[in-house]
């Protein structure tokens, strides 16, 4: 009877370990689980990644949902492998979306860089699937949002059921930035803290995109786009993505819209440039007197 009970506990422990990433399992060795996982406030970097094209796949595969789920699961695996590879924690799954975070359970001074590397790795894999015409994942694209700030991380939930997760404004910003990638036709958007931090990292390419007012918020926030290295096949050159674009953005924020439009017109196929010029088209007489510099994102 004792052996049977032990075996049951071992099976349960093995099952529960699947709910924890390697970083968390390593941190728990020789330590009190209750103490380590107790919710606490600390700075974290959150990555929110959503799959594009999955709705169509699910509708077409409604007659065989298990097979359809296998395809979506392959895509989620790409996301989670990148998060784990760079020592992140899987915080949640929401249908065909995954959320990871850095800065917990152990401090990570380079957490923003780790999150950026994970985001670029996810982008790279899905771009590769498209180029190589992968039999199941070629039509998928990911939108990714990165945000940094204070949050509550650890064991979250109710008295009846708990999970390892993170709670705070950074989570909301990451999710809304991911959603905004659709309007801007880009794959990775980052908040102001991440933009500022990555701007000083030699290997990283990030450009300031715009000041936006996310739905449900009042104050404009500066957001940026995390770009892959110039050597990658679908990457834009620095001259377009940073020098030309940021010169146009500077004129736009300075309320010199004719000059901004003239510069934006030099990069007609750029998603963020189209996003800003569409906003200017809504105000043919120029910036409103009470304009705060932000572009509302209503969807």
């Amino acid at each position: 009877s004792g052996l049977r009970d032990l075996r049951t506990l071992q099976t349960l422990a093995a099952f529960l370990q699947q709910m924890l990433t390697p970083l968390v399992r390593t941190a728990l060795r020789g330590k009190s689980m209750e103490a380590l996982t107790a919710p606490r406030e600390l700075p974290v970097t959150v990555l929110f990644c959503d799959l594009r094209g999955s709705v169509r796949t699910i509708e077409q595969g409604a007659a065989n949902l298990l097979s359809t789920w296998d395809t979506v699961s392959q895509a989620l695996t790409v996301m989670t492998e990148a998060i784990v590879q760079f020592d992140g924690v899987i915080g949640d799954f929401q249908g065909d979306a995954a959320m990871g975070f850095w800065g917990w359970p152990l401090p990570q001074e380079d957490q923003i860089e780790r999150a950026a590397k994970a985001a670029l790795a996810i982008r790279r894999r899905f771009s590769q699937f498209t180029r190589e015409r992968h039999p199941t994942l070629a039509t998928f694209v990911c939108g990714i949002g990165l945000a940094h700030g204070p949050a509550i991380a650890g064991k979250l939930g109710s008295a009846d059921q708990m999970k390892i997760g993170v709670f705070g404004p950074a989570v909301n910003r990451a999710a809304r930035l991911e959603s905004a990638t659709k309007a801007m036709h880009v794959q990775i958007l980052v908040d102001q803290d991440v933009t500022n931090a990555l701007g000083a990292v030699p290997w990283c390419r990030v450009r300031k995109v715009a000041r936006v007012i996310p739905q449900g918020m009042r104050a404009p926030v500066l957001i940026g786009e995390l770009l892959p290295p110039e050597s990658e096949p679908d990457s834009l050159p620095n001259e377009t993505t940073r020098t030309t674009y940021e010169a146009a953005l500077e004129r736009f924020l300075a309320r010199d819209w004719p000059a901004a439009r003239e510069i934006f017109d030099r990069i007609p196929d750029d998603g963020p440039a189209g996003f800003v010029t569409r906003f200017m088209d809504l105000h043919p007489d120029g910036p409103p007197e009470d304009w705060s510099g932000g572009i509302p994102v209503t969807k």
Side-chain angles (χ1 to χ4, degrees):
S1 175
L3 287 172
R4 282 196 299 270
D5 290 344
L6 176 61
R7 218 150 175 201
T8 300
L9 289 172
Q10 289 174 334
T11 301
L12 179 61
F15 175 77
L16 291 176
Q17 281 210 347
Q18 291 182 302
M19 310 296 178
L20 304 175
T21 59
L23 179 69
V24 178
R25 294 200 298 267
T26 301
L28 282 171
R29 288 175 186 167
K31 297 182 181 179
S32 165
M33 181 178 292
E34 287 298 321
L36 187 70
T37 61
R40 61 185 189 273
E41 183 175 344
L42 69 174
V44 300
T45 305
V46 180
L47 180 154
F48 193 91
C49 182
D50 193 19
L51 199 61
R52 305 276 188 266
S54 61
V55 173
R56 182 175 61 254
T57 298
I58 293 170
E59 288 180 348
Q60 293 174 348
N64 190 349
L65 283 179
L66 281 176
S67 176
T68 303
W69 168 246
D70 181 65
T71 300
V72 174
S73 181
Q74 290 179 52
L76 289 173
T77 298
V78 173
M79 303 177 197
T80 56
E81 284 180 345
I83 293 169
V84 171
Q85 177 186 354
F86 294 101
D87 293 329
V89 177
I90 306 300
D92 202 1
F93 292 104
Q94 297 177 8
D96 57 0
M99 185 267 283
F101 63 98
W102 286 257
W104 182 93
L106 303 175
Q108 294 168 309
E109 292 184 1
D110 60 345
Q111 59 176 273
I112 293 178
E113 289 186 54
R114 290 175 184 269
K117 289 178 179 178
L120 289 171
I122 295 170
R123 183 192 188 282
R124 188 176 303 114
R125 287 297 306 278
F126 280 99
S127 295
Q128 182 181 2
F129 292 147
T130 300
R131 290 195 307 272
E132 297 176 356
R133 298 182 180 181
H134 189 281
T136 56
L137 302 179
T139 59
F140 288 150
V141 177
C142 273
I144 302 172
L146 285 181
H148 177 80
I152 302 295
K155 187 173 63 174
L156 306 179
S158 66
D160 297 323
Q161 187 167 349
M162 299 283 187
K163 70 172 184 177
I164 298 297
V166 62
F167 168 82
V171 182
N172 296 334
R173 284 202 305 277
R176 298 201 177 189
L177 285 167
E178 180 281 317
S179 181
T181 61
K182 302 175 188 177
M184 296 191 183
H185 301 287
V186 298
Q187 291 191 44
I188 308 173
L189 287 176
V190 300
D191 72 356
Q192 185 165 347
D193 285 345
V194 176
T195 299
N196 293 340
L198 295 181
V201 178
W203 62 264
C204 192
R205 294 206 308 153
V206 62
R207 63 166 166 173
K208 298 174 183 177
V209 168
R211 293 187 183 277
V212 302
I213 306 173
Q215 188 174 13
M217 300 183 183
R218 295 181 179 179
V221 294
L222 177 68
I223 64 174
E225 180 189 6
L226 178 59
L227 299 155
E230 282 190 275
S231 58
E232 295 194 8
D234 55 348
S235 178
L236 295 172
N238 269 334
E239 182 181 355
T240 298
T241 57
R242 302 178 81 168
T243 309
T244 304
Y245 183 90
E246 290 192 352
L249 180 63
E250 183 178 351
R251 300 316 310 153
F252 172 74
L253 295 176
R255 305 175 72 92
D256 186 358
W257 286 13
R261 185 182 292 275
E262 190 275 328
I263 302 174
F264 279 133
D265 286 344
R266 301 177 196 169
I267 42 178
D269 297 326
D270 186 64
F275 174 79
V276 178
T277 53
R278 285 193 296 273
F279 176 73
M280 289 192 287
D281 289 341
L282 296 175
H283 303 278
D285 297 328
E289 291 185 6
D290 60 348
W291 182 56
S292 64
I295 301 175
V297 180
T298 57
K299 293 185 180 179

